[in-house]
Amino acid sequence: MAFVQFDKIGISGLAAAVPANRIDNSTYTEYFSSEEAAQIVEKTGIKFRRFAPEGICASDLCVAAAKTLLDNKKLDKSEVDALIFVSQTPDYRMPATSILLQHKLGFNKNTAAFDVSLGCSGFVYGLMIAYSLVNNGGFRKVLLLDGETRSRVYSPKDRKTAFLFGDGGVAALIERDQDCGTSFFSLGSDGSREDYIKMDAGGYRIPSSIETLKEKVVDEHGNIRSDEHGYMNGTDVFNFVLSEIPSNINGLLSYAGISAEAIDYFLFHQANDYMNSYLIKKMKLPVEKVPQSIRDFGNTSSVSIPLTIVSQLEKELQLPKTLLLSGFGVGMSWASAILPFRNCTIPPLVEL
Amino acid sequence: MVDKFLTQLTETIEITDRTLQLTDELRSLEEWDSLAQLSVIAMIDEEYGIVLDGKVFKSVNTVQELWDAVQSAKSS
């Protein structure tokens, strides 16, 4: 397990944007009955989701979040030396979306820009990279953009995934901060579980073809998808989370020498209410210390942790707090971090 | 031991009209959907401190096989 720590670096601002287009899961019944929808809502805790309208990409949601953040911080753009875009729903296969964002946001040509392709663990991985760059000394400020249009990845005719995913984008500014103490990260990956959450075709291993675009019935329940839709084996994922995540978090706490009681808030990836409720129970955490946004936004992959911070902790973070973040999913990939929040500006959630 | 397991399993899968027996086949139960499976994984973790391997969990069919998997995971 990779453990790293950084001194006197923090998130100085965090903004989030979601599409205004709100989907009510209880009436998401084009392919499934109301009874089935109601049952899924009850078990997953996902009542609403936001779907980006046609033509709006993950990067557009990030632009909206970034503009709000830049305005709010009255930031001199020339101080931002790197721009990172975390997503698995980029604008194009090439060039990297981060480079398009450099231009769209009006950053100068001396800005380093690159993409990171990770799912649910992506925001915490992105923070680790941003903290490393700032720690390195040459990068004064780093803008971490993280966006997903996960609603477009899965088949609306596959009940295993049709009701779960939503869209959103965030922007976080990382820089030196003398008030921030030490931040701790632990990161892991397990490619032997690549087929737990996957999209089989459309890359270079199995290129896109007429065959891969054909919808077909994939199981005895009559779920329908193509090879270019994502799929998820829920029981395998649940098993993975139970066996890896509590020990990963406990390992991080012991590496940091911090007790669970000293953490003000635990931010788990918002996959479904059932899994997070179980994690809370298993780890014996007070439920009021674990904010949730799954009810309103569904699973937005890497965006879910920062979206939960912006939508649930905007007021609380006006005072100094210590947060523990834990993202886990597609890969399988996971990352947890203990972060002091000291002077973090959080503008109200933007709707696009 | 096994009686307690049968009661726990029955409650977890939300079968209300009878108690499951070792000979019952999980996959032929109407209640055996993916959410019931998650609940069973959680119950076994909570009660027996075991996270059953995904492949093992998928390979079992009868209640007896599930019980055997729990026993063998406990002893290893």
Side-chain angles (χ1 to χ4, degrees):
Chain A
M1 198 177 294
F3 286 114
V4 279
Q5 54 178 288
F6 304 96
D7 286 319
K8 298 186 172 60
I9 297 172
I11 303 173
S12 63
L14 179 65
V18 292
N21 178 27
R22 193 174 82 158
I23 303 298
D24 183 339
N25 259 350
S26 63
T27 56
Y28 192 66
T29 49
E30 193 178 344
Y31 301 109
F32 301 104
S33 69
S34 315
E35 290 74 29
E36 206 164 359
Q39 198 198 2
I40 293 171
V41 168
E42 196 204 314
K43 294 274 186 183
T44 60
I46 301 170
K47 276 186 82 84
F48 303 106
R49 297 177 289 156
R50 301 299 181 98
F51 279 16
E54 212 181 316
I56 296 289
C57 282
S59 64
D60 298 319
L61 298 169
C62 287
V63 166
K67 282 188 170 159
T68 304
L69 185 64
L70 297 177
D71 286 351
N72 205 285
K73 299 285 294 179
K74 297 187 177 53
L75 188 76
D76 177 0
K77 285 182 198 168
S78 69
E79 290 177 12
V80 176
D81 292 316
L83 195 158
I84 305 167
F85 179 62
V86 176
S87 184
Q88 290 187 326
T89 49
D91 287 26
Y92 304 103
R93 277 199 269 177
M94 60 187 235
T97 307
S98 52
I99 301 161
L100 312 179
L101 288 168
Q102 171 270 331
H103 178 62
K104 272 191 184 162
L105 289 167
F107 285 87
N108 72 44
K109 286 189 273 186
N110 296 319
T111 313
F114 57 92
D115 285 15
V116 174
S117 170
L118 285 169
C120 315
S121 62
F123 185 71
V124 183
Y125 261 93
L127 284 177
M128 181 273 293
I129 298 166
Y131 278 54
S132 302
L133 294 177
V134 172
N135 194 47
N136 187 46
F139 295 88
R140 287 164 297 170
K141 292 178 182 174
V142 176
L143 187 65
L144 173 63
L145 303 173
D146 177 354
E148 277 294 340
T149 47
R150 218 66 174 186
S151 69
R152 295 175 186 154
V153 169
Y154 297 92
S155 163
K157 300 175 191 170
D158 179 354
R159 59 169 66 63
K160 289 181 173 173
T161 49
F163 292 85
L164 305 182
F165 294 91
D167 305 335
V170 297
L173 191 66
I174 291 91
E175 60 184 295
R176 290 214 164 271
D177 183 345
Q178 294 305 317
D179 295 340
C180 280
T182 309
S183 302
F184 303 89
F185 288 79
S186 82
L187 309 117
S189 40
D190 183 358
S192 74
R193 313 200 209 207
E194 65 169 271
D195 60 351
Y196 284 16
I197 305 168
K198 194 175 183 183
M199 185 189 290
D200 283 330
Y204 291 95
R205 182 72 61 192
I206 305 173
S208 185
S209 67
I210 292 170
E211 197 49 42
T212 63
L213 284 165
K214 269 186 196 151
E215 289 192 339
K216 49 197 170 196
V217 175
V218 291
D219 57 29
E220 70 275 23
H221 307 292
N223 289 312
I224 295 168
R225 60 174 170 80
S226 79
D227 290 338
E228 294 195 41
H229 280 124
Y231 61 83
M232 181 168 71
N233 293 315
T235 35
D236 285 337
V237 174
F238 188 66
N239 248 321
F240 156 80
V241 171
L242 255 52
S243 52
E244 293 294 345
I245 301 311
S247 61
N248 175 262
I249 291 173
N250 289 329
L252 177 64
L253 286 165
S254 88
Y255 166 70
I258 293 173
S259 71
E261 289 74 36
I263 303 292
D264 294 303
Y265 295 104
F266 293 81
L267 278 299
F268 292 136
H269 166 55
Q270 305 286 295
N272 63 68
D273 185 49
Y274 184 84
M275 187 154 78
N276 283 1
S277 298
Y278 189 72
L279 271 180
I280 291 167
K281 203 162 109 184
K282 186 175 165 75
M283 298 191 68
K284 301 185 175 65
L285 302 174
V287 74
E288 63 278 8
K289 277 193 171 189
V290 191
Q292 307 270 12
S293 67
I294 187 82
R295 178 185 171 279
D296 296 317
F297 302 111
N299 180 346
T300 53
S301 189
S302 53
V303 180
S304 82
I305 291 174
L307 182 57
T308 306
I309 296 176
V310 171
S311 64
Q312 308 298 316
L313 296 178
E314 184 189 334
K315 285 195 185 66
E316 286 76 3
L317 291 181
Q318 287 169 7
L319 294 171
K321 300 284 180 208
T322 301
L323 269 53
L324 190 150
L325 278 49
S326 187
F328 36 81
V330 58
M332 300 304 276
S333 168
W334 60 96
S336 302
I338 297 171
L339 306 174
F341 271 68
R342 291 298 176 265
N343 305 300
C344 183
T345 308
I346 301 182
L349 183 67
V350 178
E351 289 198 336
L352 189 69
Chain B
M1 271 291 267
V2 72
D3 287 345
K4 192 178 160 210
F5 178 73
L6 291 173
T7 312
Q8 287 164 340
L9 189 64
T10 306
E11 283 171 9
T12 306
I13 305 176
E14 294 178 14
I15 293 173
T16 49
D17 56 344
R18 64 191 185 95
T19 302
L20 284 169
Q21 301 302 309
L22 288 169
T23 48
D24 278 316
E25 292 188 356
L26 294 166
R27 272 176 246 159
S28 61
L29 299 172
E30 196 189 322
E31 294 86 353
W32 189 245
D33 58 13
S34 64
L35 291 164
Q37 292 171 26
L38 296 192
S39 306
V40 170
I41 291 170
M43 183 275 282
I44 292 172
D45 177 37
E46 215 177 337
E47 297 292 330
Y48 301 89
I50 292 160
V51 180
L52 280 184
D53 184 74
K55 285 196 183 71
V56 173
F57 190 78
K58 275 196 185 143
S59 69
V60 300
N61 186 22
T62 64
V63 174
Q64 176 79 54
E65 285 164 6
L66 182 63
W67 174 242
D68 291 346
V70 171
Q71 293 301 310
S72 93
K74 253 176 89 175
S75 60
S76 67

